[in-house]
Amino acid sequence: MQRYEYKVVPAPRKGQRGKGVKGTDAKFANALQLLMNDLGAKGWEYQRADTLPCEERVGLTGRTTTYQNMLIFRRALSAAADAAETAGAAATKPPEHRAANPEAAGTANAPVPDRIAPVTEGRTRPLGGTVRDHPGKTAGAPDVAAQ
């Protein structure tokens, strides 16, 4: 089965000057042409243009909906990239753990923290930190946490 990757870029808002290009519509067409030819040279195939809603903040609490014009491109994934992508997806998928006995089934899949920081007695600075790592501190200045 053929797989694709997609690229979505905003459509140009302004025209672009070019040799022999006169008028607003011709400048806009030139900007669009340059964008499409640039992506086409990189292997992207033009699919369509879409106008999509986008909610934006206005002021402190207000919101408004604007509409954005987007250009959609796609290109086929190579067989090697496709195989690497499926292998990467399988590697990032967490393994399924099943409890050996049914009574422990509720505790076998309990979340476990990825990393627990070591506890050191009397530590007043953040983990991995020295005075050189904290530019606001000087060697003789006491830590706030120690007070």
Side-chain angles (χ1 to χ4, degrees):
M1 179 172 114
Q2 182 64 45
R3 299 191 67 173
Y4 298 94
E5 64 178 330
Y6 291 86
K7 184 176 191 89
V8 180
V9 296
R13 293 182 184 256
K14 294 180 8 179
Q16 189 169 349
R17 293 181 183 174
K19 189 172 185 173
V21 177
K22 295 184 181 185
T24 305
D25 55 345
K27 288 179 183 177
F28 182 77
N30 186 46
L32 192 57
Q33 176 181 325
L34 291 172
L35 174 70
M36 293 176 85
N37 283 337
D38 181 47
L39 289 172
K42 295 175 183 173
W44 294 98
E45 175 187 356
Y46 174 74
Q47 291 296 296
R48 67 180 178 272
D50 281 337
T51 302
L52 300 169
C54 178
E55 191 174 283
E56 296 178 342
R57 263 179 83 176
V58 176
L60 293 175
T61 60
R63 296 202 179 275
T64 186
T65 301
T66 60
Y67 292 88
Q68 305 295 323
N69 296 313
M70 309 304 284
L71 303 175
I72 291 109
F73 295 84
R74 79 172 182 183
R75 69 178 169 191
L77 288 173
S78 65
D82 190 25
E85 183 179 302
T86 55
T92 59
K93 183 179 177 184
E96 292 184 26
H97 297 289
R98 304 225 189 275
N101 65 20
E103 289 132 20
T107 60
N109 292 328
V112 177
D114 290 333
R115 182 177 171 183
I116 300 173
V119 177
T120 320
E121 206 168 307
R123 187 173 201 64
T124 58
R125 289 196 169 82
L127 286 176
T130 62
V131 173
R132 287 185 303 262
D133 294 335
H134 302 285
K137 295 200 183 283
T138 58
D143 283 328
V144 175
Q147 294 177 352

